[in-house]
Structures are given as structure tokens and as C-alpha cells.
Amino acid sequence: MAYFADRQYFDDPETIKRGTEFGEGKLILDWYEIENDRVRCTPSDPRRGLTYEDCSKGAYSWDLLPEFVRHNYSMAARGSVLVPGLPDMGYTENRKSDIWADNIGELYEESKSRRWAPAVDIDWKALAATDFDPAVTASMCQLCTTLSEVSLVGMEFPSRWVYLVNQEFLELKSLLCAQMMDQARAVEVFRKRALSSGGLKRASANVQQALKELLMADNYIEGSIGINLLVGSLLLGVYRVAATASTIDAHLFRRCQQDAARRVAYGMGNLAYHLAHREGRQEVLNEYLDLVEHCFAGIAGATEMLEPLIVIAGGGTEPGQVASGRARVASIYRVVVDEYLGRLAAAGLERRDRSRLPAFFAAA
Amino acid sequence: MKVDFPSTSFFEALKDRMAQEQDRFTKLGYFDTTFGVTVVGPGEQRRNYLLNFEVYECMGAREIDNLEGEDPDFVLEADIAQWQDMLRNIQSNGGADTDHGINTLTHFGEGMKVIYDDPERHDKLFRFSESIQEYFDLAADLQIEYAS
């Protein structure tokens, strides 16, 4: 054990005294008279139920979150009355502009509402009855092996940071947990898609090296841009190609696309909030992306990602199919790069004339 | 009852079908977007429709002269032959096959364009992609009269 509570409750005189009094029916009720902001939150739209936004009222509002959280490092619920003796949890993410986004509440509610279950929401029986070209089947197995690696990192990024985020940002902590659940579902569905069609293929060193570089970002905002925007944008393109394999795959990958798009939306919101509240950060983040954007090429160009996409997009490995698949994947990669840079620009980080990605993919 | 395509009555018929299929759309989750549909006819004549979705429902479908003033999240634009081909495919299969889904039509080839100004709002096409496809798939059992 690394931490010990400030008293041993079995032997604590106060705890023993209270226990005895409770046994005699004596209640203290000192919490009952606590003066705190009184609210009565109700659903603004009965179809949605009571949302976090409905509860962002009065002293409980996220609008009151300060830029620097200095008053609460404990696990006390935001807005509750703080008392002496609360433990310092050691949170390191205490600055709002590093982690916040204005769409957090919306995305959290949306992620719960649009949840799905691969076990029952995908028609596995119909998939088994679908007549695939053997090369497409093998390619889907390889692609899903690679996507499992990408999804694991998508799960690990929020899990790496969620504990370190101050409890005052409870809606963000909730969203990070929802992202973990989204990515756990991605890990599940890609594994099931591969194992329903022959099994897993080969791990990718290039993909994993690139993902590790992004995952290990020194700070939250850089990691958020790398994982949520850079990798998220790529996934939105990869899923578009994979969805063309069959009608069942269309359902499967559209749902994956939805989950990835929420990550991208948070990444954009996070970057936009950061830049709107912090002067001089554009150059710092541009320099970071100068360093790490090669990871996009490492993942997108890895044999274990690129070749299965080409075979799926072309429908097989005959020369004409490969040519068609290559053209489709090259086109979607260019679109993905354009969309990624457009998202950065919309969030306040213009680097369309600086990024090496357009030239790299134009040559592909 | 037959509905013409393109027409407001066509999109209103989809809206009614969506209400009848509320359980299906509730299971898919919140569906919060307003997007445009542009059907380009002969001589570049455009017919524009604005579709508004909220929570689990289609709140409105109306024809308008110009989508720009309406500020939709994104616009799906294709010529009338492409829309008709998509709808015929949906009717033959009970839903779009992979070549005729919005995903394929918008991202491969020149079949359908996605027009947008704001990348964040454009991404609602992805955030609600299953609901959007299922909405168009509701055309499967409509009696559609296609404009020539």
C-alpha cells in the first residue's frame, strides 16, 4: 500500500463514539443544515431526459470552472461543501484551457445514447453467409488485426490521463470513460470480425511504433491532437473504405465511424478552447505536429493497413482490382489529409502550408 | 399512395416512416443535425430540401429556394439520375447496397458531393452516419414516382 488514511477507523475514538450513538438512535444531522446553492434541475427536453447540461446550473455550473483549479484536489463532487481533511489526490491536469472543450457535455450524452453492442447489433449470421472473395476475407482479417492495435491505443490515451484530470472537470472525466468504452467496443468488434472469418493476421511494428510516439506525448493537449485529431481523422477515412466490403460491414464500420467522429469532435473542441484561451500556443503546437505528423504516414502507409485497404476497396487481387483499389485508397487518403488540416484550421491552427502530409500523399 | 421524387411529399413520407419506426431510431440514439439535399435536374436546375433531425425524430422537411441562407451542417448534392439510382437500389434490396450507400456515393467517385463550410458540423455526417443511412433506407417500401 502506498497511502494510509489519516486515522485507523477501527481504533479511532470519534468513530467508535459515533457508532455507539447511532446504535442508541442519536443522529447528529450537522450535514442537514449545510448552506449550499439550492437548485432543482429538470430536463429541458423530456426526450433526452436529465442531461449534464441541464445540471450545469448555479454553483454547480461548468461555466464557473476557473482557469486554474487551486481550491480542490480531492475527490469531492464539484459544488459540494468542502471540509478540512480531504485528501490531495495528486491531480496534475488542473488548468481548464489544457483539457476543456465546449462540446463535452453534448458528446458525453451522445456517446451514451448512441451506444451499441457488437454481439447483437451486427448480423454475424448474415456475415457468415456472405460470399466474399477469399482475398477480401483475408484482407478484412488483417485490417481488423491492425485496427485492434489502433483501438487499443484509443482506449489507452483516455485511460492514461483520466485519473490525472482534476475531479472538478467531472464531465470530462465522464467523457474520457465513455471514450474508453467506445474503444473497448472497437477492440471487441474488430476481434470478432476477424475471428468470425478465419482469425487474426500479423501485428504491425510500424503502426505500433507510430502509435506509441503519439500516445507518449508529454502533455495532454499534444496527446489529444495526436490521438483524437490525427489518428481519429485517419480512422474516419479507413472506416469509409472498410464499409464497402459488404452490407454487414457497412453497418459495422458506420457505427465505428460514429464513435471515432465523437473523438474527433472532442479533439477539435479541445484544441479550439485551448487556442482561444492561450496566446502564443499556435507555434508550439505547430512545432509539435511538425515532429509527429510522420506517424500518420507510418500508420496509413504500413503494409498491414494499406494493402488490405487496397484489396477491400478493389474487391480482390486481380491487376484491375488492385489498380482500382489503389486509386480509391489514394483518393481517400488525400481527402483524409485535407479534412484533418481543415479541422485544425477551423479550431485555430492553420498549417496547410506547413504540413508535409499533403505532399507525401500527393506523391502516393 | 405514390409520392413524387423529388418533392417535399417524398421527404415528408420518409419523416412519417421515421415516426412509425421510432423504436429503431431511438435505439440508434440521438440524431441532431440539419442537413440539405440538392437534386440537380436537367439544365442545372436545382431543387433543395432542408431536413431537420432532433433527438430521435425528423422535425421537418421542406423545399427551399436557396440552402445557403439556411446554414445547414452539410449538403448532399447529386444529379437526379444518381438520386434515382440510389432510391431504386434501396427499393430493390430493402436498403442500400454498398455501392449505393451514402458512404460510397459521397466518398468514392463523383456520384454525390458533400458541401460544407464548417468541418466540425460536416463531421455530423460521420457522427450520425448510421441514422442518416437508415433514414434514406426508409424509402424501401414507398411508392415513388420518378420525374423523367
Side-chain angles (χ1 to χ4, degrees):
Chain A
M1 287 175 67
Y3 180 79
F4 300 97
D6 63 357
R7 69 201 66 186
Q8 217 290 8
Y9 294 103
F10 283 148
D11 303 326
D12 177 46
E14 184 66 17
T15 305
I16 293 168
K17 177 170 172 282
R18 288 280 167 91
T20 306
E21 289 174 350
F22 295 153
E24 294 166 353
K26 290 181 187 170
L27 299 184
I28 301 166
L29 296 179
D30 51 353
W31 53 268
Y32 190 82
E33 299 300 331
I34 289 289
E35 285 297 322
N36 201 5
D37 201 27
R38 290 179 62 80
V39 293
R40 193 177 290 273
C41 298
T42 55
S44 55
D45 184 337
R47 295 171 299 176
R48 295 184 200 273
L50 188 64
T51 64
Y52 261 152
E53 185 165 12
D54 293 329
C55 294
S56 182
K57 299 279 187 275
Y60 307 96
S61 170
W62 56 50
D63 292 334
L64 299 182
L65 280 166
E67 168 67 358
F68 298 97
V69 177
R70 302 178 192 277
H71 65 289
N72 182 16
Y73 286 78
S74 78
M75 54 190 95
R78 186 179 75 227
S80 63
V81 174
L82 304 183
V83 297
L86 299 174
D88 182 331
M89 298 300 290
Y91 300 135
T92 61
E93 300 311 301
N94 302 301
R95 187 168 187 178
K96 187 177 182 184
S97 59
D98 281 336
I99 55 180
W100 195 249
D102 287 331
N103 55 7
I104 285 172
E106 170 193 347
L107 292 171
Y108 176 64
E109 300 293 348
E110 187 178 305
S111 70
K112 289 181 295 155
S113 176
R114 294 192 77 79
R115 69 192 181 279
W116 56 289
V120 294
D121 286 331
I122 302 302
D123 191 342
W124 299 104
K125 196 173 167 186
L127 185 75
T130 304
D131 187 23
F132 287 99
D133 181 295
V136 171
T137 297
S139 296
M140 187 58 80
C141 289
Q142 178 58 63
L143 180 66
C144 287
T145 305
T146 307
L147 289 175
S148 296
E149 297 169 339
V150 180
S151 303
L152 274 166
V153 169
M155 188 160 62
E156 285 166 353
F157 177 75
S159 67
R160 181 186 169 199
W161 290 97
V162 66
Y163 176 81
L164 299 172
V165 171
N166 191 299
Q167 159 69 16
E168 290 281 301
F169 303 102
L170 63 105
E171 294 87 358
L172 174 59
K173 286 177 100 90
S174 300
L175 179 64
L176 293 174
C177 291
Q179 288 179 343
M180 281 185 247
M181 195 61 228
D182 288 345
Q183 293 306 302
R185 188 165 49 231
V187 169
E188 174 192 349
V189 79
F190 296 138
R191 188 168 189 84
K192 289 178 176 176
R193 180 65 183 87
L195 268 60
S196 68
S197 304
L200 296 168
K201 293 282 188 184
R202 189 173 80 191
S204 174
N206 279 350
V207 168
Q208 292 191 27
Q209 289 288 341
L211 288 171
K212 184 176 178 184
E213 182 168 334
L214 295 168
L215 177 65
M216 293 299 159
D218 283 343
N219 56 62
Y220 184 91
I221 187 68
E222 290 177 352
S224 175
I225 299 170
I227 297 294
N228 293 318
L229 279 175
L230 190 65
V231 178
S233 294
L234 174 60
L235 285 178
L236 288 179
V238 169
Y239 294 159
R240 272 176 254 181
V241 177
T244 63
S246 71
T247 53
I248 307 299
D249 289 302
H251 283 288
L252 190 160
F253 285 100
R254 279 199 300 265
R255 287 171 184 267
C256 295
Q257 197 175 59
Q258 295 176 164
D259 295 344
R262 286 193 299 276
R263 266 172 64 193
V264 170
Y266 166 66
M268 274 190 79
N270 185 200
L271 177 61
Y273 192 92
H274 182 79
L275 294 177
H277 292 83
R278 302 276 285 277
E279 285 185 17
R281 291 290 294 167
Q282 276 87 352
E283 183 54 26
V284 174
L285 294 178
N286 261 323
E287 285 178 9
Y288 174 71
L289 288 172
D290 289 343
L291 280 176
V292 301
E293 274 182 350
H294 76 100
C295 296
F296 185 104
I299 300 166
T303 308
E304 298 84 0
M305 176 73 91
L306 181 59
E307 290 192 354
L309 281 177
I310 288 172
V311 175
I312 290 167
T317 51
E318 295 297 320
Q321 293 170 318
V322 171
S324 163
R326 276 188 61 231
R328 277 188 159 193
V329 174
S331 164
I332 205 81
Y333 274 4
R334 285 192 285 272
V335 168
V336 161
V337 167
D338 188 54
E339 287 177 350
Y340 156 70
L341 293 170
R343 288 182 184 108
L344 290 178
L349 193 67
E350 181 56 73
R351 56 183 282 107
R352 279 178 280 216
D353 293 334
R354 178 167 176 163
S355 171
R356 293 176 62 185
L357 287 170
F360 183 86
F361 284 98
Chain B
M1 192 181 84
K2 286 189 175 178
V3 289
D4 292 331
F5 181 85
S7 70
T8 302
S9 59
F10 169 81
F11 289 105
E12 283 179 343
L14 290 187
K15 174 177 179 285
D16 293 343
R17 291 289 160 104
M18 192 172 169
Q20 290 161 15
E21 298 271 354
Q22 193 175 11
D23 287 350
R24 177 173 160 192
F25 282 89
T26 300
K27 190 168 187 299
L28 288 174
Y30 293 169
F31 183 13
D32 296 309
T33 180
T34 297
F35 68 88
V37 166
T38 295
V39 182
V40 183
E44 292 296 302
Q45 187 189 4
R46 290 169 136 70
R47 295 189 67 177
N48 303 305
Y49 300 89
L50 190 71
L51 312 178
N52 169 222
F53 299 89
E54 197 178 286
V55 195
Y56 309 117
E57 301 169 67
C58 180
M59 304 301 289
R62 61 192 170 92
E63 184 164 7
I64 50 177
D65 290 338
N66 190 344
L67 280 165
E68 282 181 15
E70 301 291 335
D71 197 26
D73 293 327
F74 56 88
V75 177
L76 301 176
E77 180 182 301
D79 66 32
I80 191 164
Q82 182 68 74
W83 283 110
Q84 290 178 351
D85 186 42
M86 181 191 91
L87 292 170
R88 287 195 173 98
N89 179 268
I90 287 171
Q91 298 211 296
S92 335
N93 298 299
D97 67 15
T98 53
D99 287 339
H100 294 84
I102 297 293
N103 176 67
T104 305
L105 293 174
T106 53
H107 299 120
F108 301 103
E110 299 295 319
M112 187 178 285
K113 290 183 202 161
V114 187
I115 299 161
Y116 64 96
D117 293 324
D118 180 346
E120 185 179 3
R121 292 170 60 201
H122 162 246
D123 283 346
K124 292 187 177 184
L125 175 62
F126 305 126
R127 275 162 65 180
F128 306 115
S129 59
E130 183 73 349
S131 298
I132 291 168
Q133 185 60 57
E134 298 245 345
Y135 168 77
F136 283 110
D137 284 352
L138 292 172
D141 54 1
L142 290 181
Q143 284 188 283
I144 302 173
E145 190 82 38
Y146 295 104
S148 55

